[in-house]
Amino acid sequence: MSELNTPQPDTTSVTTNTRPALLALDWGTSSLRAFLLDATGQVLDTRASAHGIQNLPQPGEAGFRQAFADIASGWLDAHPGLPAVAGGMVGSAQGWREAPYVSCPADLQTLAAHAAQVDTGRPGTTLLIAPGLIHRPVGAAPDVLRGEEIQIAGALAHHPEWSAHACMVLPGTHSKWVEVRGGSVQRFVTHMTGELFAALARHTILGRLFPEAPASAAEARQGFELGVAAARKAGPGDLGHQLFAVRTLGLTKQLPPGALPEYLSGLLIGHELVSGIGRLGGTGTATPLLLIGDPKLCQRYVQALTLLNRPPAAVLDNTAPAGLLDFARAAGLLRATPEESPT
Amino acid sequence: MSELNTPQPDTTSVTTNTRPALLALDWGTSSLRAFLLDATGQVLDTRASAHGIQNLPQPGEAGFRQAFADIASGWLDAHPGLPAVAGGMVGSAQGWREAPYVSCPADLQTLAAHAAQVDTGRPGTTLLIAPGLIHRPVGAAPDVLRGEEIQIAGALAHHPEWSAHACMVLPGTHSKWVEVRGGSVQRFVTHMTGELFAALARHTILGRLFPEAPASAAEARQGFELGVAAARKAGPGDLGHQLFAVRTLGLTKQLPPGALPEYLSGLLIGHELVSGIGRLGGTGTATPLLLIGDPKLCQRYVQALTLLNRPPAAVLDNTAPAGLLDFARAAGLLRATPEESPT
C-alpha cells in the first residue's frame, strides 16, 4: 500500500449520518491502520500511517503515544470519550503493552478477558489491546499468532454461519490455518510460505535465473501450475529436493525464465495447501475453507486450491474492522446489539 | 579450509619412491585442488589454490591457463608428458571448456567417452575434463550433478564391493543421493539442505534468536535430536510449518537459544534423510548407505541416520583423487592395471 510509505496520516472521509462508536486500530510491525466505526461496524473514516511498532516516530512509550496521537487526535477531539481498541503486534512483547498469548480454544470472550489496557497519554482515553493466541499441540512444538485472531473474529461477524465449523486460511509472510468450531479457535498451524519465498528468491541460487521483467500471463500460469502439480506429488521431506527443480527447469530450458519464480510460488503454496488440508481441511467439502487477506495473494491460493480440487467457500478482504468492533463489544465497551442496522 | 583464502599455491610434499603417473585436478567454483598421483592412486603431492572458476587470476581463457600454470608447472617441469585430468565446475558452461551433462545410467566409460579436452597453453599438455551427469526422471524435473561423479568413482575404486548396489550420500550445500547399480550411476536426487540452512539462518526470522556463541555440546545434541525427531513425523508439505518451531520453541523458552540452530540443522537434515531414504535408500538394510564428504558434516548425518535406525555402512572423506585416476584410466591415459600396488 503506497500510502504506508509516508508517516503522515492519510485521511479518507466517508459521508455518513451514523454516530461514531469506536476507534479501532490494526497496529502491526510495519504499519498502523485506524478505523472510525459506528455501532453496526460501518467504517465511517479510515487513516493509515507507517508508524508500525518497528517504525515509531520516537523510541519507547513516547513513540507509541505520539503515533497514537498523530492518527487519533482528530477523531477524539471531534468525539470525546470514544472507546479505543487495538489488535496486532502492538500487544506483543515488543509492543506498547504486552497482552500475552492466550491458549486455545479461545473465543471473543477469552480475548476480552485477557486484553491489556494502556494509558494513551490522552486524558480519559485508554486503549484496550487484544491478546494473541497460542496453540500447544500434544507432541509437537507450540504455535502462535497475533492479529489474525481479530481477522477471524471479523470473518465470523460477517458470516456467523461459519462459527459452527470452518477452516480459515490467512495467506502471508507467515500463513495461518485456523480451525474454528463452536465459535472458538480450536487450533491453528503456521506456514512460513511468504518468508520462504522471499529468502529463496533473494538469497539462494534459485533466484539467479529469475528475469528482471515480469513474466507474461501465460508463462506465469504455466510455471505456477507446474509448481502446484509438483507439490501435489510430494512425499515427506521432499521440499528441499523439489526446490532444485527451479534451477534445473531453467538450466535445461524446460521453463522460460519468466515462469521460474511462478514455479517457486506454486511449489511453496502447493506444499502449504497439501499440508494444511491434511491437517485442518477435513475430508471432502464438509469443512468450508475460507481465505482471508490480500486479494491478489488470495487469488494465487484460489488458483492452487482449485487445482487441488478444494476451491474455497469464500474469499474475504480485510476483516479487521468488524473483528475489532466485536472485540470491543465482548469487552463491554459497546452495547451488545446495535439500535439499527443500516446495511 | 584456511589455505584456500590465499591464491598462492600451498605445497605439501610426501616423500615417495613411486613414479608420478597423473596430474589430477578437483576444480570447483571457489577452489582448485591438485593431486600428483602414481599409477596406483597413491597421492605423491598435493597443492591447493583459491583459483576456483569464479575466482580466477584474470578473466576468461587466460585466467584458466594462468591458474593451471600456477598450480601445475612445477610438477610438469619435473615430469614432462604427465597426463592431466580434471573434474568439477571447470567443465560447466561457466568453466574452461564445457563438458555437457551426460544422461544416466552412466559409468566411468560413459564419462570418458563424453569428456572435453582443452589446450592448457603448455605445449604437449592437454587437460581432459569429466562431464557432469543429468538424470531425467519420468514425470518430474531433471536433476544435475557435477564433480560428485568423480567422488563416486573414487568411492567405488576404494570399495569395489559397492559397485553392485549402493546408495551414496554426498552431504553439502546441495546434497546428492546417488543410486549405484552394476557399476553405473542409475539415478540421483539433489537436496538443497546446506543452502536452505544458510538462507533460513541468515535471512529469515528464524535466525533472530540464534546466539552469538556456539551452544554447549548438550544443548547442541538436544536441539539436533529434537529437529530430527520432528522431521521423522513430517507429512507431505510440512516443512514450511515445522520450520516455525525454531521460533516458537525459542519464544516459549522450551529450547535454549544455543539449541535453536541445531534444531534447524536437525530438522533440515532429517527431512533430507526421510525423503532420500524413501526415494533411494531401499528397504531395510539391504542397500548399503555410504556417506562421502567433509567429516564434520558427515558426522551430523551419521547422528541423524542412527536416530532413524539407518546407520551408514561407511563414511569416506575426499575420494576425488582415486576417482580422477580411474577416470584417466577409463580414458586410456594410463595403463589399466598398475605394475605394483605399494599399499
Side-chain angles (χ1 to χ4, degrees):
Chain A
M1 293 170 60
S2 59
E3 72 265 35
L4 296 185
N5 294 332
T6 158
Q8 294 310 311
D10 167 46
T11 307
T12 332
S13 289
V14 177
T15 307
T16 175
N17 295 321
T18 60
R19 201 150 46 90
L22 182 69
L23 167 59
L25 304 178
D26 181 2
W27 205 333
T29 302
S30 57
S31 69
L32 166 58
R33 298 179 71 186
F35 307 93
L36 187 66
L37 305 175
D38 73 8
T40 70
Q42 196 180 342
V43 178
L44 308 178
D45 201 355
T46 69
R47 294 180 174 204
S49 96
H51 287 150
I53 70 162
Q54 287 187 356
N55 187 37
L56 295 171
Q58 53 180 302
E61 176 89 11
F64 285 106
R65 288 189 172 195
Q66 187 187 326
F68 179 80
D70 285 353
I71 208 159
S73 288
W75 292 342
L76 291 169
D77 289 345
H79 313 286
L82 206 59
V85 296
M89 294 306 285
V90 67
S92 70
Q94 293 76 40
W96 196 346
R97 180 64 43 89
E98 186 175 4
Y101 294 113
V102 178
S103 292
C104 289
D107 62 7
L108 271 172
Q109 295 303 329
T110 320
L111 296 183
H114 293 84
Q117 207 163 20
V118 69
D119 176 7
T120 64
R122 183 184 171 100
T125 302
T126 57
L127 180 68
L128 196 69
I129 302 175
L133 299 182
I134 186 163
H135 172 47
R136 301 180 188 276
V138 177
D143 212 328
V144 294
L145 59 73
R146 190 179 288 279
E148 289 88 356
E149 71 291 336
I150 292 295
Q151 298 276 351
I152 293 158
L156 294 177
H158 287 299
H159 293 277
E161 70 274 19
W162 292 330
S163 290
H165 187 208
C167 174
M168 302 199 178
V169 183
L170 298 93
T173 305
H174 296 169
S175 296
K176 305 291 178 180
W177 284 64
V178 181
E179 184 188 49
V180 171
R181 201 180 280 272
S184 290
V185 170
Q186 299 291 333
R187 56 194 180 124
F188 60 89
V189 173
T190 300
H191 284 266
M192 296 181 62
T193 309
E195 194 168 15
L196 265 175
F197 180 87
L200 292 167
R202 291 180 203 152
H203 302 291
T204 72
I205 198 173
L206 300 184
R208 296 249 184 99
L209 299 173
F210 288 7
E212 299 274 323
S216 71
E219 280 180 2
R221 189 179 185 86
Q222 182 197 14
F224 188 81
E225 290 186 352
L226 278 174
V228 174
R232 192 175 194 168
K233 288 191 276 187
D238 278 356
L239 182 61
H241 162 57
Q242 292 189 319
L243 286 170
F244 196 56
V246 177
R247 176 141 185 91
T248 60
L249 290 171
L251 269 184
T252 58
K253 305 198 193 307
Q254 289 185 39
L255 278 185
L260 299 177
E262 298 295 327
Y263 184 92
L264 177 59
S265 171
L267 183 64
L268 292 174
I269 289 176
H271 270 256
E272 176 187 331
L273 296 181
V274 166
S275 171
I277 291 170
R279 286 167 174 267
L280 293 188
T283 53
T285 53
T287 309
L289 210 62
L290 312 171
L291 286 170
I292 308 170
D294 171 68
K296 228 170 132 184
L297 181 57
C298 281
Q299 191 43 46
R300 287 184 178 267
Y301 278 68
V302 170
Q303 194 183 343
L305 282 165
T306 305
L307 289 169
L308 297 176
N309 297 318
R310 196 72 164 79
V315 181
L316 305 178
D317 197 350
N318 184 14
T319 56
L324 288 163
L325 184 86
D326 274 7
F327 166 62
R329 266 206 197 108
L333 299 182
L334 297 171
R335 279 168 297 183
T337 313
E339 281 175 343
E340 49 183 15
S341 177
T343 47
Chain B
M1 294 171 59
S2 59
E3 73 264 37
L4 297 184
N5 294 330
T6 158
Q8 294 310 313
D10 168 46
T11 307
T12 332
S13 290
V14 177
T15 307
T16 174
N17 294 322
T18 60
R19 199 151 46 92
L22 182 69
L23 167 59
L25 303 178
D26 181 3
W27 202 334
T29 302
S30 57
S31 69
L32 166 58
R33 298 178 72 186
F35 306 93
L36 187 67
L37 305 176
D38 73 8
T40 69
Q42 195 180 344
V43 178
L44 307 178
D45 200 356
T46 69
R47 294 180 175 205
S49 96
H51 288 151
I53 71 162
Q54 288 186 357
N55 188 37
L56 295 171
Q58 53 180 304
E61 177 87 12
F64 285 105
R65 287 188 172 197
Q66 188 187 326
F68 179 81
D70 285 353
I71 208 158
S73 288
W75 292 340
L76 292 169
D77 289 345
H79 313 285
L82 206 60
V85 296
M89 294 306 285
V90 69
S92 70
Q94 293 76 41
W96 195 348
R97 180 66 41 90
E98 186 175 4
Y101 295 114
V102 179
S103 292
C104 290
D107 62 9
L108 270 173
Q109 295 303 328
T110 320
L111 295 183
H114 293 84
Q117 207 162 20
V118 69
D119 175 7
T120 64
R122 183 184 171 99
T125 302
T126 57
L127 179 67
L128 195 70
I129 302 176
L133 299 182
I134 186 163
H135 172 47
R136 301 181 188 276
V138 176
D143 212 329
V144 294
L145 59 74
R146 191 179 286 280
E148 290 87 356
E149 72 290 337
I150 292 296
Q151 297 277 350
I152 293 158
L156 293 178
H158 288 297
H159 294 276
E161 70 275 20
W162 293 331
S163 290
H165 187 208
C167 175
M168 303 199 178
V169 183
L170 298 93
T173 304
H174 295 171
S175 296
K176 306 289 178 183
W177 284 64
V178 181
E179 184 189 49
V180 172
R181 201 181 281 270
S184 291
V185 170
Q186 299 291 333
R187 54 191 180 126
F188 59 89
V189 173
T190 301
H191 284 265
M192 296 181 61
T193 308
E195 193 168 15
L196 265 176
F197 181 86
L200 292 167
R202 291 179 203 154
H203 301 290
T204 72
I205 198 173
L206 300 185
R208 297 251 183 97
L209 299 173
F210 287 7
E212 299 274 324
S216 71
E219 280 181 0
R221 189 178 186 85
Q222 181 196 15
F224 187 81
E225 290 188 351
L226 278 173
V228 175
R232 193 175 194 168
K233 288 190 276 187
D238 278 356
L239 182 61
H241 162 58
Q242 290 189 320
L243 286 171
F244 197 55
V246 177
R247 177 144 185 89
T248 60
L249 290 172
L251 269 184
T252 58
K253 303 195 193 310
Q254 288 184 40
L255 278 184
L260 299 178
E262 298 294 328
Y263 184 92
L264 177 58
S265 172
L267 183 64
L268 293 173
I269 290 175
H271 270 256
E272 176 188 331
L273 296 182
V274 166
S275 171
I277 292 171
R279 286 165 174 268
L280 293 189
T283 52
T285 52
T287 310
L289 210 61
L290 314 171
L291 286 170
I292 307 169
D294 172 69
K296 226 170 135 183
L297 182 56
C298 281
Q299 191 43 46
R300 287 185 177 266
Y301 278 68
V302 170
Q303 193 182 345
L305 281 165
T306 305
L307 289 169
L308 296 175
N309 298 318
R310 196 71 165 80
V315 181
L316 305 178
D317 199 350
N318 185 16
T319 56
L324 287 163
L325 183 86
D326 274 6
F327 167 63
R329 267 206 198 109
L333 300 182
L334 297 171
R335 277 168 297 185
T337 312
E339 283 176 343
E340 51 182 12
S341 176
T343 46

